[in-house]
Amino acid sequence: MAEKRKVQYDIDYTLSRVFGKQSFRPLQREVIETTLKGDDVFLQAATSFGKSLCFQLPAVVDYGITIVISPLLALMVRLQLPLFPPPLTLLLPQNNQVASMHAANIKVATINSTTPPSLKTAILSDLQCGHPLTRLLYVTPEYCNLDHFRKTLRTIHAQRELSRIAIDEAHCISEWGHDFRPSFAALGFFKQEFPDVPMICLTATATARVRADIIAALSLNPQKLKVFTMSTSRPNLHYQVRFKSDDSDPYHDFLSWLHRVHARRTTNSARSYQLTSQNQRLDNVPGIIYTLFRKDCESLAARLRSDGIGAKPYHAGLPHTERADTLAGWVANREGYDVIVATTAFGMGIDKENVRFVVHWQIPKSFEGYYQEAGRAGRDGKAAVCILYYGREDRDRAAYMMARDSARLLQPTHMSKGLQNSVEKAQQAQRAQSQVVSRATSLQQLALYCEDTTQCRHEAIARYFGEEEKPPCEWACDWCKDAEALVRRKDEGLVSEEWCSTQREMGRYEVDEYD
Ligand SMILES: Nc1ncnc2c1ncn2[C@@H]1O[C@H](COP(=O)(O)OP(=O)(O)OP(=O)(O)O)[C@@H](O)[C@H]1O
């Protein structure tokens, strides 16, 4: 591999010719040059920063194949279509960079549970020859654990064609991360088996502790690793917390907010002329409403439809075809598909540029999850609104669910599965304990964020992720806009802590199940 690294790459040419981008965003060039040199890279950058380009462009200019490990089924589904001919372009606009690579005849492939057998055979026979034409292969971490796939990787590596390993959403590796997936734990095998193959890890959400954990789990050498950390700041997002209680229904507040947004577009003649001349509907204000319960997805979407808003539900319990249709309609800005009411099944990996709002109907389960989901808004860099409806009763329900899940996690029967000896069991018990503490801390910090009326929201987010520099806000949060009004709304909107504590004692917040 070392010989290959001496090659000079024209990354600017590829950026414009293949990806159609005029210039690199800050730090993209440095990251790309570092990985092309053969160094291992850890990249932490804000949602919508453009992290995928940092492994996609090297995959195009370098020899061999890049393996991308991603936990995202949404991403996989939309990638699968434009791969090997015939190109099914239904979801193509969902990932403009993959579409660009496809247009430039660069083979991108994915293997996952939804890949049709004939396509899978074609991809695998390309890989098994050892000199694959496929330049980027997206797989799940589970797939990396299969013996036959590992054997194929060894064949490719022996031919010096295993160019790079990219681990997307790398926080899933850490038990202290908000979205730990056990299948990620085995990814350390890459460095152990192929120490000369550069690795690039990407995430938008990692605290210092999670970062250290990822590095250790992947057996990366901290001395040789190049770590790039960018601010989590998203200055075009307008963060707001709106207060509610079980006795108040946020629906009317939300609907009148949305009507006001529509009205601004129609009454501003310059804006409406601009939109109609671009063939855009005046009432197309794409957005996502996140709710924790599947039943809310259906009922809220139906309620919005009855008020003339094009809304669709999206959750893991809906048939695959219905979900695919909803996603495709929303991505294509089709009438009737403006607002998606979703559980977190509709999450990472969604790259629609013009999402104008993300609403959380309840407090999400973690701070990181909130940041990640809110980050689906405003990926075109234009202003977008992130509203979180916060109630203390919801907070207590979330805490109840978390405590129940934690108790399950800490049960000896749950922990002892497959473990050989008491040392292993003790280690696992300790890890489970830390995981429980870390999840509880994250939820608690998010509740504090919601209740905080003393600082800028952008600053509070930056602080949570351990950043020292004050991010810009320019009135893009409810506190900076009008701190006094925020205090007033909080006083009026929330039930008292005393009330909550009596209700807790009576078991009123003991809910059945989240999605
Ligand atoms: N240099 C660039 N110039 C213009 N657009 C870019 C550039 N780099 C990336 N983009 C665009 O930015 C958008 C976000 O990129 P990407 O999906 O890679 O973000 P991300 O960092 O992975 O975010 P997230 O963590 O939220 O998924 C994409 O539409 C992509 O095409």
Side-chain angles (χ1 to χ4, degrees):
M1 300 301 286
E3 272 168 40
K4 288 182 185 173
R5 310 276 165 235
K6 288 182 189 153
V7 176
Q8 290 293 312
Y9 306 99
D10 192 345
I11 61 175
D12 294 278
Y13 176 73
T14 307
L15 181 73
S16 72
R17 188 186 65 83
V18 175
F19 293 96
K21 316 270 186 221
Q22 286 173 351
S23 56
F24 286 107
R25 287 179 176 163
L27 224 72
Q28 278 180 330
R29 178 189 295 280
E30 289 82 339
V31 173
I32 289 170
E33 285 176 348
T34 307
T35 185
L36 282 172
K37 239 171 52 193
D39 290 333
D40 293 326
V41 169
F42 188 104
L43 170 60
Q44 178 167 352
T47 47
S48 93
F49 162 84
K51 293 185 280 300
S52 347
L53 190 80
C54 297
F55 60 81
Q56 288 170 337
L57 191 144
V60 173
V61 296
D62 211 352
Y63 296 98
I65 183 169
T66 294
I67 307 292
V68 187
I69 295 123
S70 167
L72 312 174
L73 196 65
L75 180 74
M76 297 292 193
V77 171
R78 78 186 188 222
L79 279 171
Q80 191 179 310
L81 302 166
L83 306 176
F84 290 75
L88 302 169
T89 52
L90 180 68
L91 297 181
L92 202 55
Q94 229 331 70
N95 188 297
N96 53 28
Q97 287 171 191
V98 171
S100 308
M101 286 190 280
H102 183 67
N105 250 339
I106 290 153
K107 280 201 189 304
V108 182
T110 177
I111 300 178
N112 64 78
S113 57
T114 65
T115 311
S118 57
L119 186 55
K120 197 165 159 182
T121 310
I123 297 168
L124 283 174
S125 63
D126 177 50
L127 301 183
Q128 279 152 1
C129 72
H131 297 280
L133 295 175
T134 308
R135 308 303 295 278
L136 265 160
L137 177 72
Y138 286 77
V139 286
T140 56
E142 290 79 11
Y143 200 74
C144 295
N145 294 336
L146 299 179
D147 284 345
H148 82 85
F149 184 60
R150 289 190 178 187
K151 198 171 152 211
T152 305
L153 289 177
R154 283 183 204 113
T155 309
I156 301 171
H157 182 248
Q159 299 301 323
R160 302 162 77 97
E161 294 271 5
L162 188 56
S163 168
R164 188 164 287 99
I165 309 296
I167 303 197
D168 208 5
E169 313 296 350
H171 55 268
C172 297
I173 294 170
S174 170
E175 289 180 342
W176 292 291
H178 63 108
D179 203 8
F180 170 62
R181 318 263 169 126
S183 51
F184 266 80
L187 295 181
F189 108 92
F190 276 107
K191 264 293 155 198
Q192 283 144 20
E193 283 222 28
F194 314 120
D196 57 331
V197 177
M199 187 171 263
I200 175 166
C201 310
L202 311 104
T203 178
T205 51
T207 54
R209 184 183 197 183
V210 169
R211 250 192 327 264
D213 198 32
I214 297 169
I215 293 168
L218 290 173
S219 308
L220 293 166
N221 181 345
Q223 260 73 54
K224 290 190 187 155
L225 178 70
K226 303 285 183 302
V227 179
F228 295 88
T229 45
M230 295 282 283
S231 162
T232 49
S233 167
R234 295 281 314 274
N236 63 319
L237 298 188
H238 290 235
Y239 294 111
Q240 300 178 13
V241 177
R242 296 190 178 200
F243 303 99
K244 66 169 183 172
S245 72
D246 278 359
D247 290 337
S248 62
D249 179 2
Y251 181 77
H252 296 290
D253 179 73
F254 169 70
L255 190 65
S256 56
W257 173 81
L258 190 56
H259 280 155
R260 283 200 300 278
V261 176
H262 286 163
R264 273 203 296 276
R265 287 161 73 107
T266 31
T267 51
N268 179 336
S269 49
R271 179 86 179 117
S272 52
Y273 175 74
Q274 185 197 25
L275 289 167
T276 31
S277 60
Q278 289 168 349
N279 229 355
Q280 288 191 42
R281 280 182 294 116
L282 293 180
D283 60 352
N284 177 30
V285 181
I288 309 171
I289 302 178
Y290 280 109
T291 154
L292 292 173
F293 305 99
R294 287 184 188 182
K295 59 178 174 27
D296 285 357
C297 290
E298 317 259 356
S299 59
L300 188 52
R303 207 168 166 194
L304 286 165
R305 280 199 303 277
S306 71
D307 277 314
I309 307 293
K312 296 277 180 194
Y314 189 106
H315 60 73
L318 291 171
H320 178 70
T321 45
E322 190 177 329
R323 276 187 284 156
D325 174 68
T326 299
L327 181 58
W330 184 68
V331 166
N333 296 313
R334 260 191 354 238
E335 197 163 353
Y337 292 76
D338 297 328
V339 180
I340 304 284
V341 188
T343 59
T344 45
F346 192 76
M348 299 182 290
I350 302 294
D351 183 31
K352 178 173 161 67
E353 290 201 328
N354 61 341
V355 178
R356 296 276 64 90
F357 66 86
V358 169
V359 169
H360 283 87
W361 213 244
Q362 299 93 2
I363 184 170
K365 294 178 208 169
S366 68
F367 204 113
E368 291 85 347
Y370 171 65
Y371 171 74
Q372 188 107 43
E373 285 154 13
R376 301 299 112 200
R379 291 167 81 82
D380 52 10
K382 294 181 189 157
V385 178
C386 304
I387 300 173
L388 196 167
Y389 283 104
Y390 170 77
R392 286 182 178 152
E393 300 94 324
D394 285 344
R395 173 202 63 189
D396 287 352
R397 275 187 278 269
Y400 172 80
M401 283 304 296
M402 182 162 290
R404 213 178 70 170
D405 290 351
S406 302
R408 274 189 207 143
L409 197 68
L410 295 172
Q411 260 171 20
T413 44
H414 175 90
M415 287 200 295
S416 55
K417 269 180 215 158
L419 292 184
Q420 305 301 319
N421 56 48
S422 55
V423 176
E424 275 184 344
K425 281 181 192 166
Q427 281 170 346
Q428 201 201 18
Q430 203 177 13
R431 283 205 305 271
Q433 190 71 46
S434 304
Q435 209 179 324
V436 164
V437 171
S438 145
R439 283 184 194 170
T441 310
S442 180
L443 176 63
Q444 187 191 37
Q445 290 298 316
L446 185 59
L448 289 173
Y449 165 90
C450 293
E451 298 239 0
D452 192 1
T453 54
T454 64
Q455 66 171 327
C456 164
R457 302 274 180 209
H458 289 265
E459 208 176 325
I461 292 173
R463 283 213 184 142
Y464 177 81
F465 288 108
E467 290 165 29
E468 277 158 23
E469 211 167 297
K470 195 170 177 245
C473 179
E474 309 275 346
W475 296 280
C477 84
D478 48 8
W479 188 81
C480 290
K481 250 189 199 150
D482 190 343
E484 278 176 24
L486 178 69
V487 174
R488 215 173 32 249
R489 284 200 303 274
K490 181 182 165 191
D491 289 344
E492 288 164 6
L494 294 178
V495 292
S496 71
E497 289 291 10
E498 291 72 27
W499 166 261
C500 279
S501 116
T502 17
Q503 299 299 302
R504 267 198 311 268
E505 276 162 27
M506 289 191 287
R508 291 274 160 81
Y509 303 132
E510 295 176 10
V511 284
D512 291 343
E513 211 58 68
Y514 279 159
D515 179 48

